[in-house]
Amino acid sequence: DAGVIQSPRHEVTEMGQEVTLRCKPISGHDYLFWYRQTMMRGLELLIYFNNNVPIDDSGMPEDRFSAKMPNASFSTLKIQPSEPRDSAVYFCASSFRLHRTDTQYFGPGTRLTVL
Amino acid sequence: DQQVKQNSPSLSVQEGRISILNCDYTNSMFDYFLWYKKYPAEGPTFLISISSIKDKNEDGRFTVFLNKSAKHLSLHIVPSQPGDSAVYFCAASSNTGNQFYFGTGTSLTVIP
């Protein structure tokens, strides 16, 4: 299996622009997670999906952030409009079950820089 | 508020010696803990876990110790190898929720 795939790997944009991050989970995994990594806060869970349905989006920082999962093999995280404080590494992860003993497999991340 | 804290941003250790990475948590409801390892330009990968019913879990060169009264866990790597150079994240969860709370990470450098 190719593992979790994320694109782009790097994104540089200007403040106010729309940014779309993409993720393809591992086939057969029912759960998909979006995390953000910053130096100050480490890895923070933004939102997670079960069978393409958003279950908990309490970690989404504000209305500028939105996430969708139109099918089992694709999810997007969108920031509109982007701001410099959104600069971070964004990870997508997937797991077979939600049970906390079930390993989450992370993608390589998208490094976002907002100028 | 950061419920899981890794107060050492970085650590350097000589090859062959022991590496000890520390993690503190504030939520007394946390009862399951993980360590993830992250190489540059890659996502975190699961390393080892421990449940609160244990105070130690060992997997090869890696051992995690849990001190519930102190709300503290540590990861020991013995002997340390250059390939262990990476960022290590600890994470915790409670049985009332499905979310893992991660620390800010400790960057380990093993010097050959």
Side-chain angles (χ1 to χ4, degrees):
Chain A
D1 199 316
V4 176
I5 299 172
Q6 290 187 247
S7 65
R9 295 294 307 274
H10 301 273
E11 177 79 38
V12 180
T13 190
E14 293 188 344
M15 181 174 64
Q17 297 297 306
E18 177 180 296
V19 174
T20 299
L21 312 180
R22 297 172 176 79
C23 175
K24 176 180 167 55
I26 293 173
S27 177
H29 282 189
D30 290 337
Y31 291 86
L32 183 140
F33 308 83
W34 281 101
Y35 287 89
R36 176 172 69 176
Q37 182 197 357
T38 61
M39 292 294 291
M40 292 299 295
R41 301 182 66 84
L43 277 163
E44 300 174 276
L45 177 65
L46 301 177
I47 185 171
Y48 77 88
F49 294 81
N50 173 220
N51 290 326
N52 316 336
V53 176
I55 302 301
D56 184 351
D57 65 355
S58 59
M60 296 286 260
E62 47 196 279
D63 291 345
R64 298 184 296 106
F65 287 69
S66 62
K68 295 182 180 179
M69 192 165 185
N71 58 63
S73 59
F74 184 66
S75 176
T76 60
L77 178 67
K78 186 176 292 187
I79 308 172
Q80 165 65 16
S82 57
E83 296 182 4
R85 61 191 167 120
D86 302 330
S87 297
V89 181
Y90 291 80
F91 289 101
C92 175
S94 69
S95 69
F96 180 57
R97 301 174 301 164
L98 186 59
H99 193 277
R100 58 208 184 124
T101 60
D102 207 34
T103 300
Q104 292 185 20
Y105 294 87
F106 284 76
T110 295
R111 181 174 293 277
L112 173 65
T113 303
V114 183
L115 303 174
Chain B
D1 282 348
Q2 201 73 18
Q3 298 190 59
V4 177
K5 300 177 183 178
Q6 294 177 258
N7 293 319
S8 297
S10 63
L11 175 69
S12 291
V13 173
Q14 287 289 135
E15 181 179 3
R17 304 297 291 270
I18 183 171
S19 294
I20 300 176
L21 295 92
N22 294 305
C23 179
D24 297 294
Y25 59 96
T26 58
N27 189 337
S28 58
M29 298 299 293
F30 287 156
D31 63 352
Y32 190 74
F33 306 88
L34 304 172
W35 285 92
Y36 273 80
K37 178 178 180 178
K38 182 186 176 305
Y39 290 119
E42 296 184 11
T45 55
F46 170 76
L47 184 60
I48 193 169
S49 65
I50 188 167
S51 165
S52 62
I53 61 174
K54 294 184 175 181
D55 54 18
K56 174 183 173 181
N57 190 25
E58 194 170 350
D59 183 2
R61 296 183 299 111
F62 301 89
T63 303
V64 56
F65 294 92
L66 176 62
N67 183 334
K68 292 184 286 294
S69 61
K71 296 191 182 67
H72 177 84
L73 65 156
S74 60
L75 175 68
H76 292 210
I77 307 173
V78 184
S80 301
Q81 300 174 353
D84 297 329
S85 297
V87 176
Y88 291 79
F89 291 95
C90 70
S93 74
S94 70
N95 63 6
T96 58
N98 295 307
Q99 181 175 350
F100 276 100
Y101 295 87
F102 285 81
T104 51
T106 296
S107 178
L108 173 66
T109 301
V110 180
I111 304 165

